[in-house]
Short mmCIF file of all heavy atoms in Angstrom, two decimals:
data_model
loop_
_atom_site.label_atom_id
_atom_site.label_comp_id
_atom_site.label_asym_id
_atom_site.label_seq_id
_atom_site.Cartn_x
_atom_site.Cartn_y
_atom_site.Cartn_z
N ASN A 56 19.63 134.14 36.79
CA ASN A 56 20.16 134.46 38.09
C ASN A 56 19.10 134.79 39.13
O ASN A 56 19.43 135.21 40.25
CB ASN A 56 21.17 135.62 37.96
CG ASN A 56 22.37 135.17 37.14
OD1 ASN A 56 23.21 134.42 37.62
ND2 ASN A 56 22.44 135.56 35.87
N ALA A 57 17.82 134.64 38.74
CA ALA A 57 16.68 134.94 39.63
C ALA A 57 16.86 136.30 40.30
O ALA A 57 16.67 136.46 41.53
CB ALA A 57 16.49 133.88 40.63
N ILE A 58 17.19 137.33 39.50
CA ILE A 58 17.37 138.67 40.01
C ILE A 58 16.01 139.36 40.05
O ILE A 58 15.21 139.22 39.13
CB ILE A 58 18.36 139.46 39.12
CG1 ILE A 58 19.75 138.80 39.18
CG2 ILE A 58 18.43 140.92 39.53
CD1 ILE A 58 20.73 139.32 38.23
N ALA A 59 15.76 140.09 41.11
CA ALA A 59 14.45 140.72 41.38
C ALA A 59 13.42 139.61 41.47
O ALA A 59 13.73 138.55 42.00
CB ALA A 59 14.13 141.76 40.29
N SER A 60 12.23 139.83 40.96
CA SER A 60 11.21 138.78 40.89
C SER A 60 10.89 138.50 39.44
O SER A 60 11.23 139.30 38.55
CB SER A 60 9.98 139.21 41.67
OG SER A 60 9.37 140.34 41.01
N LYS A 61 10.15 137.44 39.15
CA LYS A 61 9.80 137.16 37.75
C LYS A 61 8.95 138.28 37.20
O LYS A 61 9.21 138.71 36.05
CB LYS A 61 9.06 135.82 37.68
CG LYS A 61 8.70 135.46 36.22
CD LYS A 61 7.98 134.10 36.18
CE LYS A 61 7.59 133.72 34.79
NZ LYS A 61 6.92 134.73 33.99
N PRO A 62 7.93 138.77 37.88
CA PRO A 62 7.13 139.91 37.32
C PRO A 62 8.00 141.15 37.03
O PRO A 62 7.81 141.79 35.99
CB PRO A 62 6.10 140.22 38.40
CG PRO A 62 5.95 138.94 39.16
CD PRO A 62 7.33 138.35 39.17
N ILE A 63 8.96 141.43 37.90
CA ILE A 63 9.84 142.61 37.67
C ILE A 63 10.72 142.29 36.48
O ILE A 63 10.94 143.16 35.60
CB ILE A 63 10.64 142.91 38.92
CG1 ILE A 63 9.75 143.36 40.07
CG2 ILE A 63 11.73 143.97 38.59
CD1 ILE A 63 8.98 144.64 39.81
N ALA A 64 11.30 141.10 36.41
CA ALA A 64 12.16 140.77 35.27
C ALA A 64 11.38 140.89 33.92
O ALA A 64 11.89 141.45 32.92
CB ALA A 64 12.70 139.32 35.40
N ASP A 65 10.11 140.48 33.94
CA ASP A 65 9.31 140.54 32.74
C ASP A 65 9.00 142.01 32.39
O ASP A 65 8.99 142.39 31.22
CB ASP A 65 8.01 139.76 32.93
CG ASP A 65 8.26 138.27 33.07
OD1 ASP A 65 9.34 137.80 32.71
OD2 ASP A 65 7.32 137.55 33.52
N LEU A 66 8.79 142.85 33.38
CA LEU A 66 8.55 144.28 33.12
C LEU A 66 9.85 144.99 32.60
O LEU A 66 9.75 145.84 31.73
CB LEU A 66 8.06 145.03 34.40
CG LEU A 66 6.61 144.80 34.73
CD1 LEU A 66 6.28 145.41 36.09
CD2 LEU A 66 5.69 145.35 33.66
N ILE A 67 10.97 144.54 33.13
CA ILE A 67 12.23 145.08 32.60
C ILE A 67 12.41 144.73 31.15
O ILE A 67 12.84 145.52 30.32
CB ILE A 67 13.44 144.64 33.47
CG1 ILE A 67 13.34 145.33 34.86
CG2 ILE A 67 14.79 144.94 32.80
CD1 ILE A 67 14.29 144.74 35.86
N PHE A 68 12.05 143.50 30.81
CA PHE A 68 12.09 143.04 29.40
C PHE A 68 11.18 143.95 28.53
O PHE A 68 11.60 144.44 27.46
CB PHE A 68 11.64 141.60 29.32
CG PHE A 68 11.50 141.03 27.97
CD1 PHE A 68 12.59 141.02 27.06
CD2 PHE A 68 10.39 140.38 27.53
CE1 PHE A 68 12.51 140.45 25.80
CE2 PHE A 68 10.28 139.81 26.30
CZ PHE A 68 11.36 139.83 25.42
N TYR A 69 9.99 144.20 29.01
CA TYR A 69 9.05 145.08 28.28
C TYR A 69 9.61 146.49 28.14
O TYR A 69 9.57 147.07 27.07
CB TYR A 69 7.71 145.10 29.10
CG TYR A 69 6.64 145.91 28.41
CD1 TYR A 69 5.90 145.35 27.38
CD2 TYR A 69 6.38 147.18 28.81
CE1 TYR A 69 4.90 146.06 26.72
CE2 TYR A 69 5.37 147.94 28.19
CZ TYR A 69 4.63 147.34 27.14
OH TYR A 69 3.62 148.05 26.53
N GLU A 70 10.16 147.03 29.21
CA GLU A 70 10.74 148.38 29.15
C GLU A 70 11.92 148.40 28.20
O GLU A 70 12.02 149.36 27.37
CB GLU A 70 11.24 148.77 30.56
CG GLU A 70 12.00 150.07 30.56
CD GLU A 70 12.73 150.33 31.84
OE1 GLU A 70 12.09 150.90 32.75
OE2 GLU A 70 13.92 149.94 31.99
N ALA A 71 12.80 147.45 28.28
CA ALA A 71 13.99 147.41 27.42
C ALA A 71 13.64 147.32 25.93
O ALA A 71 14.25 147.94 25.08
CB ALA A 71 14.95 146.28 27.83
#
Side-chain angles (χ1 to χ4, degrees):
N56 294 286
I58 296 170
S60 65
K61 183 180 180 311
I63 296 298
D65 295 343
L66 282 173
I67 292 169
F68 177 55
Y69 184 81
E70 174 192 272

